[in-house]
Amino acid sequence: EIVMTQSPATLSVSPGERATLSCRASQNIRNNLAWYQQRPGQAPRLLIHGASTMATGIPARFSGSGSGTEFTLTISSLQSEDFAVYYCQQYENWPPTWTFGQGTKVEIK
Amino acid sequence: QVQLVESGGGVVQPGGSLRLSCAASGFIFSSQAMHWVRQAPGKGLEWLALISYDASNKYYLQSVKGRFTVSRDNSRNTLYLQLDNLRPEDTAVYYCAQGDRNGYNYGVSWGQGTLVTVSS
């Protein structure tokens, strides 16, 4: 089983600042990684797939990078609506099963 | 636009059953693989099951195999999840998600979820 580990658990950032979130896979997942945003009381929203490809309608301040076992989600200038929990998810497995990281909460500093 | 609306959640006793539904619109449901994911209160996301576009392939999280059954009715644009022999640890919000173009990789669109509470 591929285990996904996110860090930090909580990130305190001021509006307008840059946020950098990390996700590590327990084995090589190539670029088979997605990132989601989940605001309180809402469903997850796809941000990025293929480690760095933006989903439709996602603002350009979001970007993803990495491959293999180390991945990063960067929010270049935090807006109020970006304070949320972010999850990474791998899709390297076959048969297909998704495993998620435990999430990183981005909170207002 | 894509819309996914879950229903069927509620309070059930341990050992009981529920059937969740996910009504889909805004895309060609019969061409799309679908997933179920859950989230226990205050916890992270846990993938549960995948069904291919024509229901010929189904995959499950090992820990729910034999208790949960995914199915679909393409004539009704509806996805289902049958939950049997429920346990308190199954208490969660259950989401349906539309798979990507490949179907298996990630969730492109998600419903708002339906809450299942297992308690005596």
Side-chain angles (χ1 to χ4, degrees), chain A residues 32-34 36 38 41-46 48-50 87 89-91 94-102, chain B residues 35 37 39 43-47 50 59-61 95 97-99 103-113:
Chain A
N32 293 320
L33 185 97
Y36 300 89
Q38 188 177 34
Q42 295 190 16
R45 177 174 73 141
L46 177 69
I48 287 169
H49 58 90
Y87 294 95
Q89 174 239 315
Q90 67 81 22
Y91 48 95
W94 190 267
T97 59
W98 299 349
T99 49
F100 294 89
Q102 77 278 22
Chain B
H35 301 255
V37 176
Q39 186 170 37
K43 302 297 185 183
L45 301 169
E46 182 177 50
W47 177 87
L50 154 66
Y59 303 97
Y60 296 93
L61 180 69
Y95 296 101
Q98 176 194 14
Y104 299 148
N105 292 335
Y106 49 84
V108 176
S109 297
W110 298 59
Q112 284 303 302

Side-chain angles (χ1 to χ4, degrees), chain B residues 9 17 20 43 50 53 55 60 62 66 75 84 92 98 101 111 113:
Chain B
S17 297
L20 309 183
K43 302 297 185 183
L50 154 66
Y53 71 99
Y60 296 93
Q62 186 63 36
S75 68
D84 294 320
Q98 176 194 14
R101 181 178 296 182

Side-chain angles (χ1 to χ4, degrees), chain B residues 1-52:
Chain B
Q1 74 277 21
V2 172
Q3 192 168 15
L4 298 168
V5 179
E6 301 93 337
S7 61
V11 180
V12 61
Q13 292 189 338
S17 297
L18 278 177
R19 189 176 81 154
L20 309 183
S21 299
C22 169
S25 60
F27 65 103
I28 304 173
F29 180 75
S30 58
S31 299
Q32 196 72 61
M34 298 292 294
H35 301 255
W36 286 99
V37 176
R38 71 181 176 184
Q39 186 170 37
K43 302 297 185 183
L45 301 169
E46 182 177 50
W47 177 87
L48 296 173
L50 154 66
I51 185 168
S52 62

